[in-house]
Amino acid sequence: DAGVIQSPRHEVTEMGQEVTLRCKPISGHNSLFWYRQTMMRGLELLIYFNNNVPIDDSGMPEDRFSAKMPNASFSTLKIQPSEPRDSAVYFCASSLALAGGGTDTQYFGPGTRLTVL
Amino acid sequence: SQQGEEDPQALSIQEGENATMNCSYKTSINNLQWYRQNSGRGLVHLILIRSNEREKHSGRLRVTLDTSKKSSSLLITASRAADTASYFCATEVNGGFKTIFGAGTRLFVKA
């Protein structure tokens, strides 16, 4: 398996532009997570999906952020409009939800380094 | 606030020495996991310990869990320069899918 795939790996954009980050989870995994990592705030969970349904989006910073998972093999995180403070590394991770509740190991993608000028 | 908090924030040791990192958390958990992150890379899972387990080994790694104290420790024995990385504990809160990561411990192993 190729692991979790994220694209692009690097994105540089100007303030006000729309940014779309993409993620392909590991085949067979039914949970998907979006994280943001910065020096100041560490690793923050933004949103997670189970069976393509958003379960908890309480970590999404504001309405400028939105995430979708149209099918089991693809998810997007969109920022519109982007701001300099959105600059961070965004990680996608996938895992297998356990029948009794909870999830197993999370497998992380390589991340997308976003710079908003 | 963070569910899991690692201690120390940073640790510098000589190659061959043991490294111990601690994690404290606040609420009941299903399991606790340790991850490693090399600079510029994604996190890599190291080991998972369930709430009914007290100790687990994997190669040079030893993890303990004390649910009464809501704490865990990660011991890396005979450290190597390649162990230089940030180490995160992550706790899965009871009843949910949500896994919360701590701020991490930066380990630097000098050759």
Side-chain angles (χ1 to χ4, degrees):
Chain A
D1 198 313
V4 176
I5 299 172
Q6 290 187 247
S7 65
R9 294 293 308 277
H10 302 273
E11 177 80 30
V12 180
T13 190
E14 292 187 342
M15 183 174 62
Q17 296 297 307
E18 177 181 296
V19 175
T20 300
L21 311 181
R22 297 174 177 79
C23 175
K24 177 178 168 51
I26 291 173
S27 177
H29 283 185
N30 55 8
S31 294
L32 184 139
F33 306 80
W34 282 101
Y35 293 90
R36 176 174 69 177
Q37 187 177 38
T38 62
M39 289 293 293
M40 290 296 294
R41 300 177 66 91
L43 192 65
E44 301 173 278
L45 175 64
L46 300 178
I47 186 172
Y48 65 94
F49 296 83
N50 180 248
N51 292 324
N52 311 339
V53 176
I55 302 299
D56 186 340
D57 65 355
S58 60
M60 296 285 261
E62 47 197 277
D63 292 345
R64 297 185 297 106
F65 285 69
S66 62
K68 293 182 180 179
M69 193 164 185
N71 56 63
S73 59
F74 183 66
S75 176
T76 59
L77 177 68
K78 185 177 292 186
I79 309 172
Q80 166 64 17
S82 58
E83 296 182 2
R85 60 192 169 120
D86 302 330
S87 297
V89 181
Y90 291 81
F91 289 103
C92 175
S94 71
S95 70
L96 191 62
L98 301 173
T103 58
D104 211 326
T105 301
Q106 291 187 31
Y107 294 84
F108 280 74
T112 294
R113 184 173 295 276
L114 173 65
T115 302
V116 183
L117 303 174
Chain B
S1 62
Q2 300 279 9
Q3 159 74 333
E5 296 188 4
E6 289 89 344
D7 168 55
Q9 291 186 346
L11 181 61
S12 181
I13 59 175
Q14 290 290 140
E15 202 167 32
E17 293 180 341
N18 295 342
T20 299
M21 289 160 270
N22 303 297
C23 170
S24 60
Y25 57 92
K26 297 175 182 173
T27 63
S28 296
I29 59 173
N30 290 327
N31 62 57
L32 186 145
Q33 304 180 46
W34 284 92
Y35 288 79
R36 183 185 71 206
Q37 185 180 32
N38 290 89
S39 180
R41 302 288 188 91
L43 279 73
V44 174
H45 180 259
L46 294 176
I47 196 165
L48 179 153
I49 186 165
R50 303 200 184 278
S51 59
N52 61 354
E53 297 177 309
R54 291 297 168 257
E55 187 171 313
K56 206 160 182 180
H57 297 255
S58 176
R60 294 184 297 113
L61 305 181
R62 173 178 169 254
V63 168
T64 61
L65 178 64
D66 187 335
T67 53
S68 66
K69 296 181 179 178
K70 291 187 169 58
S71 67
S72 173
S73 67
L74 170 67
L75 169 67
I76 304 174
T77 60
S79 64
R80 305 167 182 168
D83 295 328
T84 295
S86 291
Y87 292 82
F88 296 86
C89 71
T91 51
E92 185 181 284
V93 179
N94 268 347
F97 299 98
K98 197 165 186 174
T99 300
I100 303 175
F101 285 80
T105 292
R106 290 190 176 188
L107 173 65
F108 182 65
V109 182
K110 293 176 281 188

